[in-house]
Amino acid sequence: MEVVIGDGSHLATVGADAVEQALAARPDAVIGLATGGSPVPVYDELDRRVRTGRLSLREARGFCLDEYVGLPAGHPQRYRAVVERDFVAKVDIDPGNVHAPDGLADDLPAACAAYEQQIRDAGGVDVQILGIGADGHIGFNEPGSSLGSRTRIKTLTRRTREDNARFFDGDVDQVPVHCLTQGIGTILDARHLVLLATGAEKAQAVQWMLEGPVTAMCPASALQLHPHVTVVIDEAAAAGLRLAGYYRDTLAHKPEWQGW
Ligand code: F6R
């Protein structure tokens, strides 16, 4: 795993560079899309690069990580709607090429299986953008999630619903209890994982993820099993890391040819 302890510019550019690399290899690259606050600087940087003509996502495809169950069509906090606002509207991707699990399906297990098949049919995810929850969740795989899990229904923890209440007028009761989420096994199938985290409230989860044991109690720790992971964090999120000095040295001596 490569750990970048950086400033605001790293938080925007490393993820955008990874997407740009994937698009250079294949213009129809498949991008895995997280929602929430963490990926927004990456999406804004992609917007900037598209506007300056540096890259195009015209042929790219996108798959959302997760979706709330039961939020009505047109609800501004459906993740499909959030991704449309935060990402699709900013870049030149074809909205028809961006997919999300169907949190309104009558048959949720069938919708999850269909989503897995859609990802497989697309050839898998090239770059998966991720955030991390304060409890160590990735996607909405809460602590206790099987490390081999696939897209399925999950129950959100009270902590996650409280954290996300800021998007629902501060009212935790408006935050759905259930979601559909790509599983940890699904996420680990992506070819390159880029995880972003900022702020002191993420420091404990970041320490567990990078330096703790691989355990279902911290779903993000499963990233230790993946051969190509880039973790981009700010100083506050890095505060608990024992090997912070080593990560900084490694970045300072990163070979120029290496890319992300
Ligand atoms: C959202 C998702 C979640 C978030 C995590 C962090 O699609 O998969 O795992 O990435 O809850 O959220 P923020 O970035 O808002 O702190």
Side-chain angles (χ1 to χ4, degrees):
M1 284 202 276
E2 185 159 24
V3 182
V4 178
I5 304 174
D7 53 22
S9 81
H10 287 105
L11 289 158
T13 57
V14 175
D17 287 351
V19 171
E20 189 171 326
Q21 260 174 219
L23 290 167
R26 214 176 72 162
D28 63 347
V30 178
I31 317 300
L33 302 164
T35 44
S38 307
V40 170
V42 174
Y43 300 154
D44 287 345
E45 176 62 16
L46 288 171
D47 171 25
R48 201 187 63 74
R49 293 184 190 187
V50 167
R51 276 190 287 110
T52 57
R54 174 168 162 177
L55 61 81
S56 172
L57 287 98
R58 246 188 316 272
E59 294 177 46
R61 283 129 342 129
F63 283 89
C64 299
L65 258 182
D66 38 24
E67 179 59 280
Y68 290 115
V69 169
L71 283 188
H75 192 291
Q77 292 309 325
R78 279 188 86 200
Y79 277 177
R80 171 83 223 188
V82 174
V83 159
E84 267 162 26
R85 274 197 310 275
D86 286 355
F87 177 69
V88 176
K90 291 177 180 169
V91 296
D92 58 347
I93 197 166
D94 176 349
N97 282 344
V98 178
H99 311 281
D102 183 1
L104 290 173
D106 290 333
D107 184 343
L108 293 170
C112 292
Y115 197 61
E116 286 277 329
Q117 189 59 49
Q118 244 183 328
I119 296 173
R120 271 194 297 275
D121 290 345
V125 173
D126 291 298
V127 182
Q128 175 64 60
I129 306 292
L130 293 167
I132 182 171
D135 60 2
H137 70 238
I138 47 172
F140 272 144
N141 296 283
E142 299 284 27
S145 292
S146 157
L147 301 186
S149 50
R150 313 302 305 187
T151 304
R152 68 212 183 290
I153 190 167
K154 283 297 287 183
T155 305
L156 296 171
T157 61
R158 178 83 191 174
R159 171 75 196 265
T160 298
R161 293 178 63 231
E162 282 168 0
D163 286 347
N164 287 2
R166 68 191 194 278
F167 300 116
F168 291 82
D169 307 322
D171 178 5
V172 68
D173 292 329
Q174 289 184 39
V175 183
V177 171
H178 291 118
C179 63
L180 304 183
T181 180
Q182 286 189 30
I184 297 173
T186 319
I187 292 169
L188 293 180
D189 281 347
R191 287 178 268 279
H192 183 191
L193 307 178
V194 179
L195 184 142
L196 300 121
T198 57
E201 62 281 6
K202 299 287 176 73
Q204 177 66 81
V206 166
Q207 199 276 330
W208 287 330
M209 166 178 69
L210 293 173
E211 298 180 342
V214 175
T215 167
M217 289 306 287
C218 175
S221 66
L223 269 52
Q224 294 177 31
L225 300 169
H226 193 283
H228 191 183
V229 180
T230 310
V231 173
V232 193
I233 51 181
D234 66 0
E235 292 290 340
L241 293 175
R242 285 182 25 213
L243 298 182
Y246 174 63
Y247 305 138
R248 287 196 180 89
D249 269 3
T250 304
L251 184 64
H253 297 99
K254 183 177 170 64
E256 266 189 33
W257 50 262
Q258 199 174 40
W260 297 109

